[in-house]
Amino acid sequence: MKHISVAIDGPAGAGKSTLAREMAKRFGFLYVDTGAIYRTVALHALRESIDPQDGGTLMAVLPELRVEITYGEDGLQHMLLNGEDVTEAIRSPEVSMSASAISAHPGVRVFLLETQRQLARDNDVVMDGRDIGTVVLPGADVKVFLTASAEERAWRRTLELDAKGMARPYQEVLDDLKQRDYNDANRSVAPLRQAEDAIALDTTHLTLSESIEALEQLITDRTGRSPLPREEDEEES
C-alpha cells in the first residue's frame, strides 16, 4: 500500500508546525518537523562555537553527530542530539537564526535529505519545512504553501515566546523574521519558494480553528482520506 505524504512549506512563523501536528493527529499520520533536524545541528554548532557560515567545519563534524527523531506516546516528535533530548533547547531565537544559515549549506542538506525521505517511504506523513514540496518530497500527494503577513507572523511568534518565558520586543522579532525570510528565499540551494502544484493558504486573517478546518478539508479532498473520529464526535454519536 502506497503511503500518503503531505508537504507543508512556508516562511518562518507561518504556523506550519502547529497545523502540521494537528493534521497528523487528525489523520493518524506521522508528523515530521524537518526544521527541528536543522535546529539540532545548529544547537551543536553553537555549543561548539562553530560559525554557522563555515560549511567546511560543519561538514567535518556531521559524521560524528547522532541526530535522531523519536516519538512519544502522545505522537509528538522529540529530537535527540547524541542521546540528549534537545526538543526544548532548539527553540531559542539564537538557534533559529543559526539554523537558517546552516540550512543554506548544500552538504548539510544532502546529508540530512535521505533521513527525511525514508520516513515518508515507511509512513503516512505530514512533513513541514522550507523545501518539502520542491526538493524533499517533490511527488507528495498534497502540497501546501502556508503563509501570512510578516507582521502577523511576528506577532504570533512574540506571543509564543512570551508564553515560554522567552519574551522579546515585537520589533526585534519582526526584524529577525524578515532577515530569515530573506535568507531562506535567497539561498543558492533549495530556496524557499512555492511549488508549482502547491496550494497557497494565507492565514493572515484566519483564526487557528479556521486554518485547521481549511487544511483538513484540503487534505481530504486531495487524498480521499477522512480524518479519524474525534472524541467529541464519538460523544455526540
Side-chain angles (χ1 to χ4, degrees):
M1 177 181 174
K2 179 186 179 297
H3 290 294
I4 289 176
S5 55
V6 178
I8 301 179
D9 291 309
K16 298 185 300 296
S17 296
T18 298
L19 292 176
R21 273 197 301 267
E22 183 63 23
M23 290 305 103
K25 177 181 177 182
R26 292 195 176 203
F27 287 89
F29 293 176
L30 189 68
Y31 167 57
V32 183
D33 174 5
T34 61
I37 301 174
Y38 290 99
R39 285 169 177 267
T40 301
V41 176
L43 177 63
H44 179 77
L46 288 172
R47 287 178 172 180
E48 298 299 317
S49 300
I50 298 173
D51 183 349
Q53 305 290 344
D54 186 350
T57 301
L58 284 169
M59 287 303 298
V61 303
L62 275 179
E64 305 170 4
L65 296 184
R66 283 192 298 116
V67 177
E68 301 169 275
I69 301 175
T70 63
Y71 293 87
E73 294 181 0
D74 55 4
L76 295 181
Q77 176 178 304
H78 287 258
M79 296 305 304
L80 303 183
L81 174 60
N82 295 331
E84 175 193 354
D85 190 329
V86 294
T87 305
E88 293 299 324
I90 63 174
R91 294 300 169 183
S92 72
E94 293 74 22
V95 171
S96 295
M97 290 301 293
S98 182
S100 181
I102 283 175
S103 66
H105 296 295
V108 175
R109 303 195 73 84
V110 171
F111 184 85
L112 299 174
L113 184 59
E114 181 56 27
T115 297
Q116 299 167 57
R117 287 178 171 169
Q118 189 61 50
L119 286 167
R121 283 194 288 266
D122 294 341
N123 307 272
D124 292 325
V125 299
V126 179
M127 191 176 292
D128 73 57
R130 301 289 193 279
D131 62 345
I132 309 306
T134 54
V135 176
V136 181
L137 301 177
D141 300 281
V142 183
K143 296 181 185 180
V144 179
F145 192 82
L146 189 70
T147 189
S149 69
E151 291 72 19
E152 178 63 22
R153 288 184 283 127
W155 176 244
R156 294 173 185 174
R157 181 58 59 85
T158 300
L159 294 177
E160 178 186 355
L161 290 171
D162 187 52
K164 292 181 177 179
M166 302 165 63
R168 295 179 69 201
Y170 166 79
Q171 189 60 48
E172 186 177 302
V173 174
L174 178 61
D175 291 343
D176 281 355
L177 188 146
K178 287 183 176 180
Q179 184 62 53
R180 287 191 66 189
D181 284 353
Y182 179 84
N183 292 345
D184 290 340
N186 290 278
R187 65 191 182 204
S188 59
V189 178
L192 171 65
R193 64 181 178 82
Q194 181 177 334
E196 291 183 2
D197 53 347
I199 296 176
L201 179 58
D202 189 329
T203 67
T204 301
H205 302 296
L206 298 181
T207 64
L208 177 57
S209 178
E210 290 171 337
S211 299
I212 288 172
E213 295 307 317
L215 190 52
E216 179 185 290
Q217 189 61 54
L218 194 159
I219 293 174
T220 297
D221 291 344
R222 285 300 179 97
T223 67
R225 289 280 190 97
S226 297
L228 301 174
R230 298 199 294 275
E231 290 184 5
E232 55 266 36
D233 297 332
E234 294 176 350
E235 290 175 359
E236 290 176 2
S237 60

